[in-house]
Amino acid sequence: MSFDFAKMKKDQEAAAVNPTLMLLLIGPPGGGKSYAAGTFGVETLFLHGGTERHGDDSIKLACLKKGKGSVTTQSWAGKNADESYKNLVAVLTDPALPKHFGAVVIDGLKDLTFDLISDTSMFTKYCLTDKGVHDKWREGAAIASLMQPIMKALFALRAAKVHTATTMVLDVQDLGSTGEVLLGKPLIPTYGVASALIPQFDDRV
């Protein structure tokens, strides 16, 4: 058997020039999600909530080691949840964004669903019954509905040739003897929300 090593290298180089990615990066806390998001090798906008502590440093370190691109970090936190939500949607849909960045990272789904969307007045209103009582069974549909402007923005960025990555915390429930994850689930509110959101991402890692 003979090998065309030159062709192998050429094919590998071609494969490395990825189409525009719409990534969902899944892993436990501290598992390297933010670091991985910094390896696009292009100018990257890193968006996070007000409680973010380590992601900024991780993604900047990844860019530094890769030696390509740079990271601009920005919190979507406003005076309240409604303002924070509007901030995030506004920056994702700003027509000037693709002129300045080749990748956008949202860190992450846990903060969006548990800490941001669930505290908005829109969420509260969606969950009210005709009698003005909060209906817990409407919460999943409310979160999925309020996530749609964000998902629509991610699809638009992909169409504009901007890579996107959204992090999602994996709740690890069982580990193997060598540390491999045997059982885990996404750390977002309900199975319905997970079923509605996760399949929309083209690439899940």
Side-chain angles (χ1 to χ4, degrees):
M1 179 182 292
S2 61
F3 296 96
D4 187 341
F5 293 109
K7 184 177 184 303
M8 286 181 187
K9 290 174 64 178
K10 185 177 181 179
D11 290 345
Q12 183 63 41
E13 289 169 359
V17 181
N18 290 319
T20 308
L21 297 173
M22 187 173 164
L23 285 170
L24 180 62
L25 292 171
I26 308 166
K33 299 182 296 297
S34 299
Y35 185 92
T39 60
F40 281 115
V42 297
E43 300 297 311
T44 300
L45 176 62
F46 182 75
L47 300 168
H48 59 81
T51 60
E52 176 55 41
R53 291 292 180 269
H54 70 277
D56 285 15
D57 293 336
S58 295
I59 194 170
K60 287 177 180 177
L61 177 61
C63 280
L64 181 65
K65 286 189 174 183
K66 191 172 181 63
K68 292 182 179 180
S70 63
V71 176
T72 299
T73 62
Q74 180 64 49
S75 171
W76 60 66
K79 292 182 293 186
N80 52 49
D82 283 9
E83 184 175 282
S84 299
Y85 178 79
K86 291 175 182 176
N87 287 345
L88 178 57
V89 174
V91 70
L92 291 174
T93 56
D94 191 316
L97 191 155
K99 300 175 184 177
H100 295 277
F101 298 100
V104 175
V105 179
I106 299 177
D107 193 28
L109 275 184
K110 175 181 176 290
D111 284 354
L112 283 178
T113 54
F114 278 110
D115 303 328
L116 176 57
I117 288 176
S118 297
D119 287 338
T120 63
S121 63
M122 296 85 78
F123 174 83
T124 300
K125 184 177 180 180
Y126 194 107
C127 294
L128 287 180
T129 66
D130 294 339
K131 296 181 179 180
V133 178
H134 181 85
D135 183 356
K136 186 175 179 64
W137 295 105
R138 295 185 182 183
E139 291 182 359
I143 292 171
S145 176
L146 288 167
M147 275 295 300
Q148 284 316 297
I150 296 169
M151 297 305 301
K152 184 178 178 180
L154 295 182
F155 284 117
L157 287 170
R158 183 185 62 181
K161 306 300 182 184
V162 176
H163 298 294
T164 65
T166 304
T167 65
M168 184 179 75
V169 175
L170 181 69
D171 180 15
V172 178
Q173 299 176 312
D174 190 18
L175 288 174
S177 58
T178 59
E180 73 275 21
V181 176
L182 299 178
L183 181 65
K185 65 178 182 179
L187 195 56
I188 46 182
T190 69
Y191 176 82
V193 172
S195 299
L197 295 181
I198 293 174
Q200 294 188 60
F201 292 89
D202 292 334
D203 309 282
R204 299 176 288 275
V205 180

